[in-house]
Amino acid sequence: MTDGGTTDGSVPATGHGHDSGHGSEDDHGLPATTDIRRWLVTTNHKDVGILYTVTALFFLVFGGVLALLLRVQLWTPGATFLPALSYNQAVSAHGLIMVFWFLSPFAFGFANYVVPLQIGAKDLAFPRLNALSYWLYLFSGILLGVSFFQGGTFEGGWTMYAPLNLPVYTPNIGASTAVLALMLFTASVTIGSVNFLTTIHRMRAEGLTLRRMPLFTWTILLTVWMMLFAFAALLAALLILTSDRLLGTQYFAATGHAGSLLWAHLFWFFGHPEVYIVFFPALGVMAETFQTFTGQRLVGRKWFIAAMVLVALQSFFVWMHHMFLTAINLQIKTLFMATTIGISLPFDLMVFSLIYTTIKGRVRFTTPFLFSFGALILFILGGITGVFLGAVVLDYEFRGTYWVVAHFHYVMVGGVTALVGGLYYWYPKITGKMYDEYLGKLHFAAYFVGFNLLYFPMFLAWETPRRDFSYAEAFIPFHQLSTIGGFILGLSFLIMFYNLSKSLVAGEEVGDNPWKFSTTTEWAVPSPPPLENFPGRPTFSKGMLEFKTRASGASELAEGRESVADGGEGVADGGEEMADGGTVTASHDHDDDHVSHASIWPFVIGVGSFFVFLGLSGIQEGGFVPGLEGGFYLGSALVGGVVGGGGLVAMAHEEFYGPTGPFGESWPFSGVENTKLGMWIFLASDVVLFGAFIGSYAFIRVAEGWTNWHHLIPAAHVPLPGLINTYILLTSSFSVVLALVACERNSRWGLIASLVTTFVLGVAFLVNKGLEWLHLFHVNSEAFPQGWDFTTNVASSTFYLTTGLHGLHVTAGLLVTLYLIWRAWNGAYLDDDRPVEYFGLYWHFVDIVWLFLFPLFYIL
């Protein structure tokens, strides 16, 4: 069963109570925060948020050290501080680490900690999946680190353009490991996206409508919607690239331009939404801190939200402006120039909203506000310079130069500026201690000077070629200023680390709410919050924060002035408006509706995944590298598969109590249970994954010539095996329906028979597919004397990889079917058929996908 309810397994549930952070173990069975075991088994959203934040800061240091190495190399043109290939690896790894392993995870450390508190939830909808998302993130980063010791990591740039991403140009095993690490990271993102979307849509407190939701939570909601679809496209690109590197398929082959263009389309369909995926949480921090430190509700709040929604939608329609220098025709380039300039207009509205909020309020220049205000200034400059790149003619001149580097960093690291402000803003809530304000302001001063000294000279030296350490001598002063700025920026973070660590040990203790005008719900509970967050069930049904107690059904009004859901102005009992937005405290009754907080299995699955992907990196041209080295990689994959698979089975059978919801507002999904909604959201992501594969097939086929495609396919590739498999899968869908009918009729043997039938039909599908593949592998004709396998041509590559991906989905479904049969044999599902229903959704989706693949690959 899933995290969203109870299960009837053999592992005892964790206990209940609040974590004091002292002693060896609380009455949840969750060790104290001083015990290392706590951090291996915890599923609590606040602990996971801390893990994300600390790990992201580690990757900030990792990527920052690489950046400083680059700046030392660029002190003079053509310097050899690093060998040429090492420089390329440092450039590539720096970009990958900062964009993937630092920026988004840093923001989602705050999201994990704060969002459930802001919406009145005890935890995320699926706590164990939340922990699993973190462990996959951590081990994906470790895997990237391992790639440096496998002959060198990826050296083709963080965008991994084809054909440089192929083994002929980047042959190191470490390059494949870097791609696999990114794939594992993408799996983490997908799990987290499903979790956050389900939580925010289903777990909001009573009275907390979407319209009244805090702005930081709004930005996270839009961010995870973008992540769900953008990272699915990236996963498709990475799966294809992994196949090219490990199996020898021909998607991104160097011959012709179709492969290079295909990679660019897939990558930038992800890549441009990624800019807003990174920046939106920073925008949410800016909105929260501007409201808090001006004492003023955000001016034009509803238009601010509408502008964010518009940007989130538009972000998927601007990707081709990254491809203006390709052979795309001028009409399409002009269209994408218009969409690119158009997406800047909603940002103008948001910028003016923040500026007017500052003008109308009473500003207090605290450290969080300074970083947020600094981020606004930096983003304005980054946005203006980005509009230059949105014009086709100017892009022809600026593309591939340091103008792009400077613009990119003013936007992305400008977002980091706000996130650092968020770290200071929520630090008292997370730790219960106040940071040193003087050191915080000193950090900001050094940061702001270092930032502009590092990146602004790049605009002046814009003719420097990107990713090249040779440049004209006229630009030496600018690059030396940038290098000095880089070291100042790096040293500023040492001030931050000293400040936060010193404050954690000896900082001033704070109460529930150290900020005078903060009004969102996280400030209504102690600092740090208790394990289950709230003294009762939060409600905003009367327009103010209350806590309902389970025993009496009564509502306990929050003492003092009221919290309002949207962080705006509160209303006192007499109806008088509160100019300062209100402060909040809470009564401390206890709610008996407890949830579990500990499970070791997400960690175990993460370990298994690490070894599986490490093992896969040793595959070259369809087989493991020869000798003892190949044996190590094979053994790693096998051990990882056993550990990870065992962890999955154990987690599925573990007795675990997760928050069920809804507790109030859940529009537009009020009639959909948590796990069912999670399944629908996952399948929406899978639609994009298969859509990217089908789109890739269509793109390459059009490039090769739609009718010429038939010359790449042997006559032995006939429709009959595909037709037989179509009937098999349609019949298997019917047997899943019969399984649900058997549950409704309380027929144990009918349920088992239906599930066994589904399993047999699924196996028959795979056997038939395997026989077809074997036949095609060994076909012997004049046109294909060596058979028709993965590496024969691009047509064979698209056929095997797309139908193979579908076959993996069938295999996953069969493993779940076996588990369902075992559980049904023991009497499960007759009184609760939801697991069978959710499996049916997945199985029907897989069958529907085949209905698209059959005509594409067998008839057309």
Side-chain angles (χ1 to χ4, degrees):
M1 292 270 301
T2 62
D3 294 5
T6 61
T7 58
D8 50 350
S10 59
V11 181
T14 51
H16 310 293
H18 293 299
D19 178 26
S20 64
H22 304 289
S24 61
E25 193 170 286
D26 64 21
D27 59 354
H28 275 75
L30 187 63
T33 55
T34 54
D35 190 334
I36 188 64
R37 294 177 301 160
R38 161 72 168 252
W39 304 102
L40 297 178
V41 303
T42 184
T43 64
N44 183 263
H45 73 95
K46 296 182 291 297
D47 292 341
V48 174
I50 292 171
L51 288 170
Y52 262 108
T53 303
V54 171
T55 306
L57 289 173
F58 166 77
F59 284 112
L60 167 66
V61 175
F62 188 178
V65 169
L66 291 173
L68 293 179
L69 293 176
L70 302 178
R71 290 313 318 170
V72 171
Q73 179 93 330
L74 291 165
W75 182 260
T76 56
T80 56
F81 175 73
L82 294 173
L85 289 180
S86 297
Y87 181 87
N88 288 343
Q89 290 177 29
V91 169
S92 305
H94 165 72
L96 290 170
I97 289 169
M98 289 304 203
V99 172
F100 294 104
W101 279 277
F102 167 60
L103 283 169
S104 289
F106 189 39
F108 272 81
F110 304 145
N112 267 278
Y113 203 101
V114 172
V115 165
L117 291 168
Q118 286 196 338
I119 67 175
K122 287 182 177 292
D123 209 320
L124 292 178
F126 310 114
R128 289 180 299 175
L129 292 185
N130 191 34
L132 177 60
S133 177
Y134 167 74
W135 291 116
L136 294 181
Y137 157 58
L138 173 64
F139 284 113
S140 68
I142 294 173
L143 193 63
L144 182 69
V146 169
S147 69
F148 281 88
F149 302 96
Q150 296 176 297
T153 190
F154 189 82
E155 59 195 34
W158 81 272
T159 54
M160 297 183 170
Y161 282 139
L164 293 179
N165 54 15
L166 297 178
V168 64
Y169 297 108
T170 49
N172 292 335
I173 291 177
S176 296
T177 305
V179 175
L180 289 164
L182 192 51
M183 192 186 304
L184 190 58
F185 175 82
T186 305
S188 164
V189 168
T190 302
I191 293 171
S193 299
V194 171
N195 208 350
F196 270 94
L197 288 172
T198 305
T199 300
I200 297 174
H201 281 299
R202 285 277 302 169
M203 310 292 285
R204 302 194 305 276
E206 184 180 11
L208 188 59
T209 61
L210 284 174
R211 183 179 62 84
R212 302 180 66 194
M213 202 162 63
L215 285 168
F216 180 72
T217 299
W218 253 113
T219 59
I220 295 301
L221 175 63
L222 294 174
T223 297
V224 289
W225 271 119
M226 288 188 287
M227 290 171 76
L228 185 77
F229 299 122
F231 274 88
L234 177 63
L235 179 59
L238 293 172
L239 284 169
I240 295 171
L241 176 56
T242 300
S243 176
D244 276 9
R245 292 191 64 89
L246 304 187
L247 303 179
T249 51
Q250 302 291 310
Y251 273 84
F252 303 131
T255 54
H257 65 273
S260 298
L261 270 180
L262 174 62
W263 172 264
H265 279 296
L266 290 173
F267 182 86
W268 287 117
F269 186 80
F270 148 80
H272 203 80
E274 171 68 1
V275 173
Y276 308 112
I277 287 168
V278 167
F279 192 76
F280 264 34
L283 195 63
V285 171
M286 292 162 66
E288 297 286 0
T289 52
F290 270 60
Q291 290 186 135
T292 295
F293 297 111
T294 62
Q296 168 67 43
R297 190 175 191 264
L298 192 72
V299 173
R301 183 181 188 276
K302 66 180 180 181
W303 297 109
F304 190 94
I305 294 172
M308 289 195 298
V309 173
L310 187 58
V311 168
L313 294 172
Q314 282 184 270
S315 68
F316 289 94
F317 297 97
V318 298
W319 82 91
M320 243 186 277
H321 72 235
H322 293 275
M323 303 167 63
F324 281 163
L325 295 188
T326 65
I328 297 170
N329 67 57
L330 183 60
Q331 289 80 5
I332 293 178
K333 291 178 182 178
T334 304
L335 172 64
F336 277 83
M337 180 177 70
T339 61
T340 301
I341 294 173
I343 204 171
S344 68
L345 301 179
F347 271 111
D348 295 341
L349 187 152
M350 289 184 271
V351 167
F352 283 119
S353 173
L354 293 169
I355 292 173
Y356 285 132
T357 301
T358 306
I359 293 172
K360 292 184 68 175
R362 294 167 291 181
V363 177
R364 289 175 297 132
F365 289 97
T366 61
T367 300
F369 180 80
L370 286 172
F371 274 96
S372 293
F373 189 70
L376 178 61
I377 295 172
L378 299 175
F379 178 71
I380 290 172
L381 183 56
I384 291 172
T385 55
V387 174
F388 283 70
L389 296 170
V392 174
V393 175
L394 290 175
D395 186 71
Y396 273 50
E397 188 69 21
F398 288 132
R399 181 65 59 189
T401 71
Y402 262 58
W403 182 279
V404 178
V405 178
H407 153 72
F408 181 82
H409 284 87
Y410 262 89
V411 174
M412 303 294 267
V413 188
V416 173
T417 309
L419 294 177
V420 172
L423 181 60
Y424 282 108
Y425 181 60
W426 282 302
Y427 182 83
K429 176 57 58 181
I430 295 171
T431 65
K433 303 290 184 69
M434 180 54 72
Y435 60 86
D436 186 307
E437 185 68 39
Y438 172 78
L439 289 177
K441 290 179 178 177
L442 181 63
H443 173 208
F444 171 74
Y447 178 98
F448 202 72
V449 170
F451 181 104
N452 287 286
L453 197 58
L454 169 59
Y455 297 120
F456 192 80
M458 295 181 186
F459 286 122
L460 305 179
W462 67 270
E463 291 178 281
T464 302
R466 196 175 176 189
R467 302 190 185 99
D468 192 340
F469 53 85
S470 295
Y471 56 87
E473 291 187 1
F475 302 138
I476 290 177
F478 301 121
H479 282 285
Q480 291 183 346
L481 282 174
S482 288
T483 298
I484 294 169
F487 277 91
I488 294 174
L489 182 63
L491 289 173
S492 76
F493 280 101
L494 295 181
I495 300 173
M496 183 190 79
F497 288 129
Y498 172 74
N499 187 0
L500 299 185
S501 58
K502 170 179 171 289
S503 301
L504 183 63
V505 175
E508 175 190 353
E509 293 192 4
V510 297
D512 298 358
N513 186 5
W515 310 124
K516 185 176 181 182
F517 299 118
S518 58
T519 57
T520 46
T521 310
E522 73 268 28
W523 304 108
V525 296
S527 303
L531 192 62
E532 294 193 358
N533 293 347
F534 302 106
R537 181 165 294 174
T539 175
F540 290 92
S541 59
K542 296 181 181 178
M544 61 190 73
L545 176 61
E546 299 174 309
F547 291 108
K548 288 186 175 180
T549 58
R550 191 187 218 14
S552 63
S555 295
E556 294 292 335
L557 180 63
E559 298 171 1
R561 288 175 289 181
E562 295 77 15
S563 166
V564 286
D566 61 1
E569 296 175 311
V571 180
D573 292 341
E576 179 183 353
E577 275 199 350
M578 297 162 59
D580 63 359
T583 59
V584 289
T585 58
S587 58
H588 296 283
D589 300 315
H590 292 277
D591 191 337
D592 294 330
D593 184 20
H594 298 293
V595 297
S596 301
H597 295 287
S599 174
I600 190 61
W601 302 119
F603 171 74
V604 172
I605 296 169
V607 172
S609 300
F610 169 80
F611 283 107
V612 167
F613 278 73
L614 178 62
L616 292 177
S617 69
I619 297 177
Q620 293 180 350
E621 297 182 357
F624 286 95
V625 294
L628 291 176
E629 187 179 6
F632 165 78
Y633 287 115
L634 175 60
S636 174
L638 293 175
V639 169
V642 171
V643 172
L648 280 170
V649 173
M651 192 169 84
H653 196 53
E654 180 181 36
E655 186 173 333
F656 192 93
Y657 297 86
T660 54
F663 303 118
E665 303 296 334
S666 56
W667 184 88
F669 302 108
S670 55
V672 185
E673 192 266 337
N674 279 9
T675 309
K676 188 174 185 178
L677 178 59
M679 177 60 75
W680 278 116
I681 293 170
F682 167 74
L683 293 180
S685 175
D686 227 18
V687 167
V688 177
L689 176 66
F690 275 106
F693 267 82
I694 292 172
S696 298
Y697 159 79
F699 181 85
I700 291 178
R701 181 166 178 177
V702 168
E704 291 283 341
W706 190 266
T707 55
N708 291 339
W709 191 259
H710 296 289
H711 299 297
L712 303 176
I713 302 173
H717 182 43
V718 295
L720 183 59
L723 181 63
I724 293 173
N725 269 346
T726 302
Y727 286 121
I728 289 174
L729 281 187
L730 289 176
T731 306
S732 71
S733 274
F734 181 68
S735 65
V736 173
V737 173
L738 292 180
L740 278 172
V741 172
C743 289
E744 293 174 0
R745 295 181 177 180
N746 206 36
S747 172
R748 175 167 168 257
W749 290 110
L751 171 61
I752 293 172
S754 299
L755 291 175
V756 169
T757 301
T758 303
F759 180 80
V760 170
L761 290 171
V763 170
F765 173 90
L766 293 179
V767 169
N768 186 46
K769 172 62 64 180
L771 292 173
E772 178 193 14
W773 280 20
L774 285 174
H775 174 62
L776 293 174
F777 284 165
H778 297 95
V779 68
N780 188 357
S781 65
E782 184 178 348
F784 302 98
Q786 304 298 321
W788 198 65
D789 59 23
F790 291 96
T791 64
T792 303
N793 54 44
V794 71
S796 68
S797 296
T798 57
F799 169 74
Y800 287 118
L801 195 55
T802 308
T803 58
L805 177 67
H806 178 267
L808 287 176
H809 278 69
V810 173
T811 303
L814 291 178
L815 294 175
V816 175
T817 308
L818 279 178
Y819 178 78
L820 293 176
I821 292 170
W822 172 57
R823 298 283 293 110
W825 186 270
N826 293 309
Y829 310 133
L830 297 181
D831 55 348
D832 183 4
D833 63 358
R834 288 177 298 173
V836 179
E837 179 187 359
Y838 305 150
F839 164 72
L841 291 175
Y842 173 83
W843 194 258
H844 297 324
F845 169 78
V846 172
D847 293 355
I848 291 170
V849 168
W850 181 255
L851 294 181
F852 285 90
L853 300 187
F854 172 61
L856 282 173
F857 289 100
Y858 289 91
I859 298 175
L860 295 179

